[in-house]
Amino acid sequence: MKINRLLPLLLALCLAAGCAAAPESSSPAAAPEPPESVSQPEPEPEDPAPESALPQEAPERPGDLAGTSGYYYGGHRLTLYAMEPETGAIRTVRENEFWNGRELESASPSGNRLLLSSWDGAPSPEAVALSVYDIKRDRLANLSRTMEAPYGSWDQAHWFPVKWSRGYCFVDEDTVLYQAVCDTETPGNNHLHLYDLQDNGKELSATARFLELESPLGVEGGQWSADCIWWEEEKAVLGHLSGEGESDWITWDLETGRILSRRPGKNGDIPIAAYPYQIREGVLYYTEDDWEQEVFRLMAYDINGDKLTSLASGPLALTGDPVPPGEEKGRGYFEDTWLDKLGEDGTFVIRSVMEPRGKRAFESYREAIWDPADGGEILLGEPQSAPAFPVDASRGYTPYFAAAPDGTGLYLPLPKELQPEDRYGRPPYLLSFLPSGEILFLA
């Protein structure tokens, strides 16, 4: 969560995905560099592709993905806009196109390529559709998976798996990693799924690469499992090996699959696929909520030394709902804390909300900036309301509550041309900042 970086933002909210025209502005923005290519006219809807191909628009439900199951949000025929924050001037970048992915999943190291995702499944995400948008070249690629034996037997044949993992991330400009060790297709012979992006000058495409991992069990082999994440500091995949008699940290080389290092991990049995954490110089930092003691703790785990330390703690606040007789205290009755960031000055920014963190927006939050040099208890401050921006009523702007990519709620002014019919219209999907200073968003 980086509300301090989001305060200068202005955003727009539309009636239906991609359905509104860009409003004219009396205060045009400074002209940015135009993209190298422009959108082509909208193609006619086609029949859904076969299971092995990329997800298509459902012809009977324009804007929806074909082949979805379970809990699902529609609205994939979208327009890409750019807004000048100070004036509110909006221009159309790509008009009324079908995007497999629409919410920001990851940005490449340069920031020029954006990986976008849309999930399907209930009660939690089980699969995603993915798109890559190249800002500099103005190229959109709706991604599909290469079906190559024996690595093609996921349940959702033309979707990308996502359940119980940290999802997808860029590891460099041309490579996307699925942060999960898989063995569905090859039991006992675990592997990673990667996708290499190629730009042939006309289009951007992705090719699957299946990387088999060296077994940490040695020549005798056998079944093993591990959660994993991309460790940017080490430029390696970090996995926590767990199982009978095993509790180690392993790093694998992303090109060869060979083991680079192995460290004891008995004191760091941390579900890295689930926790919001920060890693700096080999130390993994995170908060831990203890509902029984009604406190949260700021934890530091030294991966190299296998040492877990509680740096400080503070009281948790109840949501206001009494715990029913006989029920256990837990999520839903206490606020939810997380470590937002590590300051360059060594401070820790900790935040909390009364609902689980995630992509759902929240209207208020609490925050503490804790300095180890000061020590003492960590006390989260008074609730802070979601930021609001000035409204230019003379031009018909109205504030609407919308969700930023990190889940923070924002009250944003919306030009009258893009105002939804009701307060529950779909918010825009904030993607990035352009070099011109404009905000890039889908709506």
Side-chain angles (χ1 to χ4, degrees):
M1 310 286 170
K2 296 179 175 61
I3 290 179
N4 56 335
R5 295 198 319 188
L6 292 170
L7 284 174
L9 302 187
L10 290 172
L11 230 270
L13 191 60
C14 73
L15 235 179
C19 64
E24 295 181 0
S25 172
S26 58
S27 302
E33 290 187 12
E36 295 181 9
S37 62
V38 296
S39 303
Q40 298 301 314
E42 175 186 346
E44 293 295 324
E46 298 179 357
D47 292 334
E51 286 189 344
S52 61
L54 118 111
Q56 298 291 323
E57 187 172 16
E60 72 281 6
R61 303 189 312 276
D64 284 2
L65 280 170
T68 58
S69 62
Y71 190 64
Y72 167 71
Y73 284 114
H76 286 253
R77 183 157 286 279
L78 301 164
T79 294
L80 183 67
Y81 296 106
M83 174 187 276
E84 207 287 324
E86 294 182 0
T87 67
I90 296 176
R91 66 182 177 90
T92 300
V93 180
R94 301 179 71 93
E95 188 171 7
N96 195 29
E97 292 188 77
F98 181 75
W99 301 64
N100 278 349
R102 59 200 174 179
E103 300 180 48
L104 184 62
E105 181 86 1
S106 177
S108 67
S110 71
N112 286 329
R113 286 179 171 175
L114 306 176
L115 182 67
L116 310 176
S117 65
S118 301
W119 63 267
D120 183 40
S124 61
E126 294 182 353
V128 294
L130 296 175
S131 296
V132 170
Y133 178 63
D134 190 310
I135 296 175
K136 188 174 182 180
R137 294 181 177 271
D138 184 32
R139 289 179 181 163
L140 169 67
N142 290 324
L143 302 186
S144 60
R145 292 191 287 107
T146 305
M147 305 295 286
E148 297 179 8
Y151 303 101
S153 61
W154 284 320
D155 292 338
Q156 295 84 4
H158 61 268
W159 293 69
F160 294 78
V162 72
K163 194 171 185 179
W164 312 129
S165 81
R166 288 191 63 86
Y168 296 80
C169 71
F170 277 100
V171 298
D172 57 41
E173 290 297 306
D174 301 309
T175 308
V176 172
L177 167 69
Y178 176 46
Q179 298 177 99
V181 176
C182 303
D183 68 348
T184 302
E185 303 90 348
T186 53
N189 194 11
N190 296 22
H191 53 272
L192 297 173
H193 294 268
L194 299 103
Y195 299 89
D196 297 314
L197 305 179
Q198 296 94 26
D199 189 339
N200 63 11
K202 295 182 179 180
E203 61 182 3
L204 188 66
S205 61
T207 301
R209 171 158 54 96
F210 307 103
L211 179 67
E212 294 189 1
L213 298 176
E214 180 182 354
S215 172
L217 302 184
V219 293
E220 67 274 13
Q223 298 283 346
W224 60 277
S225 63
D227 293 330
C228 81
I229 57 171
W230 173 245
W231 192 359
E232 177 64 28
E233 283 184 335
E234 298 290 320
K235 302 297 181 186
V237 175
L238 173 67
H240 189 256
L241 178 68
S242 58
E244 187 176 352
E246 301 287 347
S247 186
D248 292 342
W249 293 98
I250 310 289
T251 57
W252 286 276
D253 179 74
L254 200 59
E255 293 300 321
T256 65
R258 298 291 301 274
I259 292 177
L260 298 175
S261 67
R262 182 166 187 160
R263 305 168 173 89
K266 297 185 183 301
N267 297 313
D269 191 9
I270 301 162
I272 57 173
Y275 268 47
Y277 57 83
Q278 302 285 337
I279 298 180
R280 180 175 292 177
E281 296 179 353
V283 179
L284 191 152
Y285 300 94
Y286 62 98
T287 63
E288 179 181 77
D289 295 339
D290 185 336
W291 301 312
E292 286 300 319
Q293 299 298 320
E294 300 187 13
V295 299
F296 69 91
R297 300 181 183 89
L298 176 60
M299 309 299 294
Y301 175 72
D302 184 346
I303 297 174
N304 294 309
D306 189 29
K307 183 179 180 181
L308 183 64
T309 304
S310 176
L311 299 180
S313 64
L316 281 174
L318 282 165
T319 62
D321 298 327
V323 180
E327 293 287 333
E328 294 183 1
K329 298 176 182 178
R331 187 180 301 278
Y333 299 113
F334 287 98
E335 63 187 328
D336 193 39
T337 68
W338 72 95
L339 175 60
D340 185 60
K341 69 177 181 179
L342 299 175
E344 293 299 326
D345 58 356
T347 58
F348 296 80
V349 179
I350 298 169
R351 289 200 173 126
S352 73
V353 291
M354 289 299 182
E355 293 183 355
R357 57 187 169 265
K359 291 188 176 181
R360 290 184 296 167
F362 48 86
E363 298 189 36
S364 65
Y365 63 96
R366 300 205 299 156
E367 179 180 275
I369 301 176
W370 183 73
D371 190 335
D374 296 336
E377 194 174 40
I378 304 175
L379 297 176
L380 294 163
E382 293 298 316
Q384 301 183 43
S385 297
F389 295 86
V391 176
D392 185 354
S394 65
R395 288 202 292 166
Y397 279 65
T398 303
Y400 283 81
F401 188 69
D406 63 1
T408 305
L410 298 168
Y411 285 99
L412 303 163
L414 180 66
K416 60 184 178 181
E417 294 89 345
L418 296 181
Q419 290 175 14
E421 293 179 341
D422 57 62
R423 297 287 292 186
Y424 301 99
R426 185 172 303 285
Y429 304 105
L430 177 62
L431 303 184
S432 183
F433 294 96
L434 297 179
S436 63
E438 292 173 297
I439 304 163
L440 194 66
F441 64 94
L442 282 169

